Amino acid sequence: MATTNEELPAKIPFWRDEGKRALVFQAVALVLVAAVGYYLFANTQANLQRQSIATGFGFLDHEASFEIGETVIPYSASDSYSRALLVGALNTIKISFIGIVLTLILGTIIGIARLSTNWLVAKIAALYIEVMQNIPVLLQLFFWYAIFYESFPPPRQALTPVPGVFLCNRGLIFAVPAPHPAWSYMGWTFVAVLIVGWFLNRWGRKRQELTGQEFPAGMITIAMAVVLPLLVWLVAGAPTTMDVPVMRGFNFSGGVTVSPEFSALLLGLVLYTAAFVAEIVRAGIQSVGRGQIEAAMAIGLRPAKVLRLVVLPQALRVIIPPLTTQMLNLLKNSSLAIAIGYADFVSVANTTINQTGQAIEGVAMIMLVFLTFSLLTSLFMNWYNKKMALVER
Amino acid sequence: MSEDTAQQKKPGREYLDAPITKIGAVAWLRANLFNTWYNSLLSVLLVYGLAVTVPPFFKWAFVDSLWNSSAAACRDIDGACWSIIPQNVKFIFLGFFPTGQEWRPILAMAILIGLVIYSRERHRWRKSLLWMWLIALVVMGTLMHGGVFGMPVVETSKWSGLPLTLMLSFFGIIAAYPLGVLLALGRRSRMPTIKTMCVVYIEMIRGVPLISLLFMSSVMFPLFLPEGVTIDKVLRAQVAIIMFTAAYIAEVVRGGLQAMPRGQYEAADSLGLNYGQTMRLVILPQALKIVIPPTVGILLAAFKDTSLVVIIALYDILKTTKVTLSNPQWTNYSTEAYIFLALLYFIFCYAMSSYSRRLERELHTGR
């Protein structure tokens, strides 16, 4: 353009100054959000007053007066709402934790199976992934729950696939060893072995750095973890009594019962999420170049070491971020428990909302609890991710 | 290939066939099922497992089954009672839509599915397609709601079954997309207030389950409105789904924006384009193209997630099926009903995900 400097205005008008324009824009946005917020707040206040709904968290100390089917900590209907909600939160943690562990195991197995050289294994794994990913998890939950409730017989005709294990419409009931001090001794021995094993591993690595000699710390730890608790069991008198469930009246007594609600929820969540985890694991393993494996073999590493020292560390770097998303998905999907009647946090909070009418507090608590859980999970996974990340020069 | 070798064969010479272990079925089995001892073991175990489970299932599903009978007839058989579907087909698919008006939701669904199939080809992605979609949405809304051209009004509380599922997902996706793009732009903005608001919104929504938003829409939202104003339940759930999906789309779009090289922004600046022009003409067309495959993934998830409206008692196709199952006549055939629904969802989702894979392949050839 033929404009010269002299023709330009000395001062830029404020609507052309990017900095000032940004300020105005932000102020407008802020005022808008604040106005909408205030409008909703005022409406809510008026509505609450008109419908004479109490506000605040005072209801937490009131008596809950509803039963919860399964609890981690002791709970009765005469306890307060806060305790009921705590029970719900613990149930959410329980299902999510067990679910995540099982999902990781199953997902890894299916992901590896998908890459198997065995045609049948690879095809079945692929079919599994395709089918599970494309059916809503809620439908799967309903399906498993219906299987438990309708296809399994009543307790009297319970199926016994293995002696001591019963499958009926009251859930999965199985025998456990009867209480005996030997069991806790064995547990403590196992923990002690793990601690010793950790130190052994450290010492072994240090020695390898100094002398170049390898020390099979892992194998020794595994051997100790198997043998020592067994020895303790023998020394403590080798208890073999089992707490076998028996029919009494209309239901079983003794043993451990896993409710149909818990089983259906766990089964649905694990089978659904494992399909996604399998795809992530497959992509992670495929991301490690063939050259890496060939190079590792060329410097004389054994197959197990190739996997542990070369393939896994690189694959995990690709796997961990999407895996975190899937774990969070499982955690969030555990809230579907409400649809089949497992008393997780959302379900308890919903009952609380229905009884007290304090919807705002209830929904706010649900959101807060899940935000906290999500945040904690992603903090942990970010820490792990940082630990595994490539150390660049 | 074989003809070539045949031509090269000279008469008067003896030719041996390749050993049976190197070609044909035996070789294939060897290479793919029995190449190592543990693969052989796995194959044998799997074949045994399939032999034990598949024939009984086949017998249950196809041989001993009834396909269109009364509930009473089903009680006498061991197989599947698929009759639950044809006997209740109207309620499962259309729910409470008034009798005599069924053609309206069916036509609306046909328009929707037809348009989706029409939009599959990329060479049809032009401005005119956008207009077609807008017109189609209006037509579908009119068909469902009625009130003009002599069609009686059907309240949204009567909208149920498959039309509700499809409507919640498609309207949700269509409304969430622009909102998600705006949120992604906001998150990348250099203005701290805008950026903070977008980050807080996106992270908060992504941190909570969809159920909590649906609860918010069903129990909390009525409190937000001034006295006397009510918004119907379907619309509230729709808003919750839009809010939820938008946050996920925003994150996907942000990925696309981050993948844009700086040079693109600088080139746009040096052409004298302002922010709006830069985004509309240079950045977004490229960024959105990169993220088409993950976006389809989000859409797929949104489609599956609409089934959650069951929990706030909206009558989508899952809920109408459950209502059918609560009829004492049919209550024992939930396995059949759920398998049918699973198949239905699978067909929709599989079509979407294989389309996404096709797009990924097509778009892979350079930007």
Side-chain angles (χ1 to χ4, degrees):
Chain A
M1 274 191 221
T3 343
T4 52
N5 266 339
E6 288 89 304
E7 283 168 331
L8 275 176
K11 202 168 155 252
I12 312 169
F14 78 93
W15 63 87
R16 296 216 173 207
D17 185 339
E18 217 173 283
K20 283 177 193 152
R21 212 165 50 181
L23 267 180
V24 173
F25 198 61
Q26 292 183 70
V28 170
L30 222 102
V31 167
L32 261 178
V33 169
V36 171
Y38 176 76
Y39 175 70
L40 295 182
F41 178 75
N43 280 339
T44 312
Q45 285 298 64
N47 281 326
L48 289 175
Q49 257 177 10
R50 194 159 37 82
Q51 301 175 13
S52 60
I53 300 173
T55 51
F57 288 92
F59 70 93
L60 284 176
D61 298 328
H62 299 181
E63 190 183 299
S65 60
F66 58 86
E67 285 292 346
I68 294 179
E70 44 189 330
T71 60
V72 183
I73 52 171
Y75 169 82
S76 74
S78 58
D79 281 326
S80 64
Y81 279 116
S82 52
R83 186 151 180 103
L85 289 166
L86 179 66
V87 167
L90 288 175
N91 276 343
T92 294
I93 294 175
K94 180 174 141 196
I95 190 95
S96 311
F97 183 77
I98 299 175
I100 285 175
V101 171
L102 292 180
T103 302
L104 289 182
I105 296 170
L106 186 66
T108 312
I109 292 173
I110 297 171
I112 293 170
R114 176 81 179 75
L115 293 173
S116 168
T117 50
N118 187 323
W119 181 85
L120 199 57
V121 173
K123 286 294 169 223
I124 290 179
L127 185 73
Y128 174 89
I129 293 171
E130 202 61 67
V131 169
M132 285 296 172
Q133 283 193 342
N134 285 328
I135 298 173
V137 61
L138 187 63
L139 180 57
Q140 297 193 29
L141 290 184
F142 283 146
F143 180 78
W144 296 120
Y145 192 57
I147 291 263
F148 256 95
Y149 252 85
E150 282 154 30
S151 305
F152 286 152
R156 273 181 193 285
Q157 290 103 41
L159 304 170
T160 42
V162 191
V165 177
F166 301 92
L167 260 176
C168 63
N169 58 14
R170 299 286 173 90
L172 172 74
I173 300 143
F174 53 89
V176 286
H180 189 280
W183 302 119
S184 66
Y185 297 157
M186 279 175 73
W188 286 117
T189 318
F190 187 74
V191 173
V193 167
L194 288 188
I195 294 170
V196 170
W198 187 75
F199 278 110
L200 211 60
N201 193 18
R202 246 176 64 146
W203 174 80
R205 202 178 300 161
K206 210 169 267 173
R207 198 182 73 143
Q208 190 182 355
E209 272 165 22
L210 287 175
T211 65
Q213 282 177 305
E214 284 188 59
F215 183 74
M219 292 308 262
I220 291 178
T221 312
I222 292 172
M224 284 202 301
V226 174
V227 175
L228 285 182
L230 270 177
L231 271 179
V232 170
W233 178 70
L234 275 175
V235 171
T240 51
T241 23
M242 299 287 276
D243 180 11
V244 182
V246 278
M247 275 301 294
R248 210 161 282 157
F250 289 110
N251 207 348
F252 284 99
S253 71
V256 167
T257 307
V258 184
S259 69
E261 289 83 13
F262 183 83
S263 317
L265 183 61
L266 189 65
L267 206 60
L269 288 179
V270 168
L271 293 183
Y272 179 74
T273 320
F276 290 90
V277 171
E279 277 295 88
I280 293 168
V281 169
R282 180 192 62 83
I285 293 175
Q286 278 182 334
S287 74
V288 181
R290 258 210 83 67
Q292 291 286 325
I293 299 166
E294 283 163 2
M297 291 198 293
I299 57 170
L301 293 182
R302 263 178 263 124
K305 285 211 156 174
V306 173
L307 190 69
R308 190 163 60 87
L309 298 176
V310 178
V311 177
L312 274 187
Q314 299 187 64
L316 279 180
R317 240 169 258 144
V318 180
I319 290 174
I320 289 174
L323 198 62
T324 313
T325 316
Q326 287 308 322
M327 287 180 172
L328 291 176
N329 277 350
L330 190 141
L331 173 75
K332 284 182 271 173
N333 280 340
S334 77
S335 61
L336 297 180
I338 189 173
I340 55 170
Y342 174 74
D344 81 321
F345 187 80
V346 173
S347 162
V348 175
N350 186 45
T351 315
T352 309
I353 293 174
N354 288 342
Q355 289 194 358
T356 59
Q358 291 188 266
I360 297 176
E361 289 83 351
V363 174
M365 275 193 307
I366 295 175
M367 291 190 159
L368 204 67
V369 163
F370 272 94
L371 276 178
T372 317
F373 286 164
S374 300
L375 205 65
L376 287 179
T377 315
S378 33
L379 276 181
F380 173 76
M381 290 309 285
N382 283 347
W383 167 80
Y384 188 67
N385 195 21
K386 209 165 269 174
K387 217 180 91 145
M388 297 302 296
L390 193 63
V391 184
E392 283 180 30
R393 272 163 294 169
Chain B
M1 192 69 187
S2 57
E3 280 172 24
D4 284 352
T5 40
Q7 281 171 358
Q8 281 166 8
K9 281 183 183 172
K10 290 174 183 164
R13 285 197 190 173
E14 206 179 319
Y15 289 94
L16 290 178
D17 282 337
I20 195 165
T21 50
K22 295 289 178 206
I23 53 161
V26 177
W28 186 88
L29 281 176
R30 271 210 168 184
N32 291 305
L33 293 181
F34 301 100
N35 49 352
T36 56
W37 67 267
Y38 59 84
N39 267 346
S40 310
L41 192 71
L42 264 178
S43 304
V44 171
L45 282 176
L46 275 176
V47 168
Y48 174 74
L50 289 177
V52 168
T53 50
V54 171
F57 175 78
F58 190 81
K59 191 163 178 285
W60 174 81
F62 297 107
V63 180
D64 293 343
S65 55
L66 285 177
W67 292 81
N68 195 358
S69 66
S70 65
C74 276
R75 240 165 272 149
D76 305 326
I77 55 160
D78 290 335
C81 178
W82 300 111
S83 316
I84 182 170
I85 307 300
Q87 294 285 320
N88 299 292
V89 67
K90 197 215 143 201
F91 186 75
I92 290 178
F93 278 94
L94 300 178
F96 299 109
F97 213 84
T99 318
Q101 301 292 323
E102 287 93 351
W103 62 274
R104 284 161 48 183
I106 292 173
L107 187 60
M109 281 193 287
I111 293 177
L112 184 66
I113 292 171
L115 203 51
V116 167
I117 291 172
Y118 180 79
S119 317
R120 283 174 50 133
E121 299 302 326
R122 273 201 305 141
H123 64 82
R124 295 191 182 128
W125 291 4
R126 283 190 232 101
K127 267 228 172 86
S128 55
L129 188 64
L130 209 67
W131 285 110
M132 277 167 71
W133 266 101
L134 279 177
I135 293 165
L137 287 180
V138 173
V139 171
M140 281 186 277
T142 320
L143 273 174
M144 290 295 286
H145 189 266
V148 283
F149 308 122
M151 291 185 291
V153 174
V154 178
E155 294 298 319
T156 51
S157 58
K158 291 255 167 62
W159 299 10
S160 32
L162 192 59
L164 184 68
T165 299
L166 291 179
M167 206 192 64
L168 284 176
S169 10
F170 274 88
F171 280 82
I173 288 161
I174 288 165
Y177 197 77
L179 192 60
V181 172
L182 281 183
L183 280 169
L185 289 178
R187 190 168 182 164
R188 297 268 295 164
S189 161
R190 258 174 272 148
M191 297 180 238
T193 331
I194 308 281
K195 188 177 173 174
T196 319
M197 285 195 286
C198 290
V199 169
V200 168
Y201 176 84
I202 293 172
E203 292 306 326
M204 218 175 90
I205 299 282
R206 278 160 43 92
V208 299
L210 177 56
I211 296 231
S212 61
L213 284 182
L214 289 175
F215 275 152
M216 198 165 129
S217 80
S218 76
V219 295
M220 221 164 115
F221 200 71
L223 292 175
F224 288 162
L225 297 173
E227 194 180 351
V229 178
T230 49
I231 296 183
D232 77 55
K233 212 168 163 183
V234 175
L235 196 60
R236 279 186 268 143
Q238 181 77 81
V239 169
I241 290 173
I242 292 171
M243 282 172 66
F244 187 76
T245 312
Y248 284 80
I249 289 179
E251 278 305 271
V252 167
V253 173
R254 181 166 73 115
L257 291 176
Q258 278 175 344
M260 280 292 101
R262 268 186 77 85
Q264 294 291 327
Y265 290 93
E266 284 162 0
D269 278 349
S270 66
L271 284 177
L273 302 182
N274 64 28
Y275 179 81
Q277 288 168 326
T278 307
M279 286 302 159
R280 193 162 50 83
L281 301 173
V282 181
I283 303 299
L284 281 180
Q286 302 182 66
L288 294 183
K289 191 175 153 189
I290 304 176
V291 296
I292 283 177
T295 312
V296 178
I298 301 284
L299 305 189
L300 203 67
F303 179 69
K304 285 186 288 176
D305 278 347
T306 49
S307 60
L308 264 62
V309 295
V310 169
I311 292 165
I312 54 167
L314 287 189
Y315 286 81
D316 79 326
I317 191 160
L318 188 53
K319 183 76 180 176
T320 51
T321 309
K322 275 185 82 74
V323 171
T324 308
L325 288 170
S326 65
N327 179 347
Q329 263 193 315
W330 298 108
T331 191
N332 285 324
Y333 308 113
S334 56
T335 314
E336 289 87 338
Y338 288 147
I339 288 179
F340 171 76
L341 265 195
L343 201 66
L344 198 70
Y345 270 109
F346 180 83
I347 291 169
F348 276 108
C349 294
Y350 187 75
M352 273 203 245
S353 63
S354 45
Y355 178 60
S356 142
R357 273 186 292 242
R358 197 186 96 188
L359 268 187
E360 208 164 346
R361 261 199 316 278
E362 286 179 6
L363 294 174
H364 199 64
T365 49
R367 286 218 182 99

